[in-house]
Amino acid sequence: GLAWEHLYVFPDSFGYDGQVYHYIAHDPFFRNGYKRYVDDPRLRYRRILVPFLAWLFSAGRPEAVDFAYIAVCLGFVGLGAYWLSEYAESLGHSRWLGLLFVFLPAVIVTADRLVTDGALAALCAGFALYARGTHRWKLWTILAAAALTRETGVLLAAAMVLYEMWQRRWTRAGFFATALIPCLGWYGFVALHTRYHDYGGIYIPLYAIVRQLAHPFPYPPRVKFIPMVQVLDAVALLGILLAIVLAVWHLRRRVSAVAIAACLFGLVAILVQRPANWTQVYDFGRVFTPLLIFVGLDWFESPSLVPLLPILLILPRVCLQLVPQIEGILRLN
């Protein structure tokens, strides 16, 4: 049904996540049958926010969906940079530091593959900003949106509820818990239109990470500089492990909604050990960008560069992944 778009698919590939969400943007309510081209409809359709906004801004016109989808992805990047600049200014720093947002792994991968993780990264920046203030409804909206962006977005609402319970503010805890109502309603709708698919997974703490460190991914011979790539893979994994340690240290030093959120993402990183998700930095780097954000924000309140180390350890491998694309652009020019 979308053959007229002449979408390019790389040889020996079924496409990437962004391609799937593009299909969903064309058919967010299961009316056109595009779900049969989605690898796991129940999982993918839960992550509806970016595809739905693309459909909404295109007014449902198929010829405008692509433009709207790209615009939504870029819009969230701008929103994330804005919220980060506001956060920096609130702590006495230059607003220009908000531009650091574009160096986050999820944002880079979104620019390359049009995934939804850039949107969640932006919402995490908004969460960090408004969790410190009195803008309850803005924060509630961010929590609801994050839960509809991908499953891990639910952790933001969980962190806020746990923090309010820690402060014994039960009414506020209940208020922020209601931010999950839209998510639960949408999940129910998706369940009515899709079948259960066993996504698979291993829940032995750190199993896949340790396995990947001990047995580097066997890249095919056509990949250049394989030893260097494997070393940077290991360095990126160590960056995630360091982020988990810093998250725990931050929580022990000061209990806050951001610190709790960092620990919740760290707990997911420890327990959810599906091997396929830990072999490529484009997977674990973007999925756990919220962890990197929440740990890295401590840099605004500390003269030390330690909070930024996890991001700095992951970035070289993420950027290396862009080399073939850059070479292709240079050849075309």
Side-chain angles (χ1 to χ4, degrees):
L2 298 177
W4 56 271
E5 287 188 319
H6 304 292
L7 297 177
Y8 179 82
V9 179
F10 284 91
D12 303 318
S13 168
F14 294 105
Y16 201 70
D17 294 18
Q19 179 177 329
V20 171
Y21 300 125
H22 158 257
Y23 293 159
I24 296 173
H26 276 282
D27 186 22
F29 301 111
F30 304 99
R31 294 174 179 173
N32 299 324
Y34 292 162
K35 72 175 183 180
R36 64 180 180 272
Y37 302 108
V38 175
D39 56 352
D40 185 350
R42 180 164 295 188
L43 177 73
R44 302 296 188 183
Y45 266 86
R46 287 173 180 168
R47 304 168 182 178
I48 192 60
L49 184 68
V50 171
F52 172 75
L53 290 177
W55 176 85
L56 181 66
F57 293 148
S58 67
R61 292 178 295 129
E63 66 275 11
V65 165
D66 278 7
F67 178 85
Y69 186 91
I70 295 171
V72 168
C73 289
L74 289 177
F76 272 112
V77 172
L79 196 56
Y82 167 74
W83 278 328
L84 186 58
S85 71
E86 289 284 298
Y87 185 90
E89 188 178 52
S90 71
L91 294 174
H93 298 285
S94 169
R95 294 177 63 90
W96 288 99
L97 289 176
L99 293 177
L100 294 175
F101 183 79
V102 301
F103 294 102
L104 293 170
V107 178
I108 295 174
V109 179
T110 296
D112 187 27
R113 306 289 176 91
L114 291 175
V115 291
T116 63
D117 300 85
L120 182 58
L123 294 168
C124 287
F127 169 79
L129 174 65
Y130 294 123
R132 301 174 67 247
T134 57
H135 302 280
R136 289 202 310 166
W137 280 105
K138 289 183 179 180
L139 182 56
W140 188 96
T141 302
I142 286 173
L143 298 180
L148 290 168
T149 303
R150 63 174 298 134
E151 297 81 2
T152 49
V154 172
L155 297 179
L156 299 188
M160 202 64 221
V161 170
L162 288 173
Y163 175 69
E164 296 297 349
M165 292 174 65
W166 172 266
Q167 296 291 330
R168 298 183 182 278
R169 297 194 290 241
W170 310 109
T171 301
R172 285 175 61 91
F175 171 74
F176 288 123
T178 64
L180 294 179
I181 293 176
C183 166
L184 295 174
W186 177 252
Y187 279 22
F189 176 77
V190 171
L192 292 175
H193 291 82
T194 58
R195 295 180 179 179
Y196 171 75
H197 175 76
D198 186 7
Y199 193 59
I202 297 175
Y203 301 96
I204 302 174
L206 300 177
Y207 168 81
I209 297 177
V210 173
R211 178 187 176 190
Q212 182 64 21
L213 288 170
H215 305 285
F217 184 75
Y219 290 95
R222 68 174 183 274
V223 175
K224 300 177 181 178
F225 313 116
I226 290 179
M228 181 180 69
V229 172
Q230 291 175 330
V231 168
L232 291 180
D233 281 340
V235 171
L237 287 169
L238 292 176
I240 294 293
L241 293 176
L242 176 59
I244 295 171
V245 173
L246 292 177
V248 175
W249 178 80
H250 190 179
L251 184 64
R252 286 173 58 87
R253 186 167 59 90
R254 184 181 62 192
V255 177
S256 67
V258 169
I260 294 173
C263 285
L264 290 178
F265 275 94
L267 186 63
V268 171
I270 291 172
L271 295 179
V272 180
Q273 294 290 298
R274 186 171 182 264
N277 294 138
W278 290 99
T279 58
Q280 301 291 331
V281 72
Y282 261 35
D283 283 337
F284 66 81
R286 63 182 169 89
V287 171
F288 291 104
T289 286
L291 170 62
L292 303 178
I293 292 173
F294 295 141
V295 168
L297 287 175
D298 203 34
W299 174 68
F300 288 100
E301 303 182 57
S302 167
S304 171
L305 288 175
V306 172
L308 296 181
L309 276 180
I311 297 176
L312 295 176
L313 291 173
I314 293 173
L315 267 182
R317 180 62 185 90
V318 174
C319 292
L320 186 63
Q321 195 74 17
L322 297 174
V323 170
Q325 288 88 318
I326 295 173
E327 290 179 341
I329 293 170
L330 294 176
R331 281 196 298 268
L332 289 173
N333 292 327

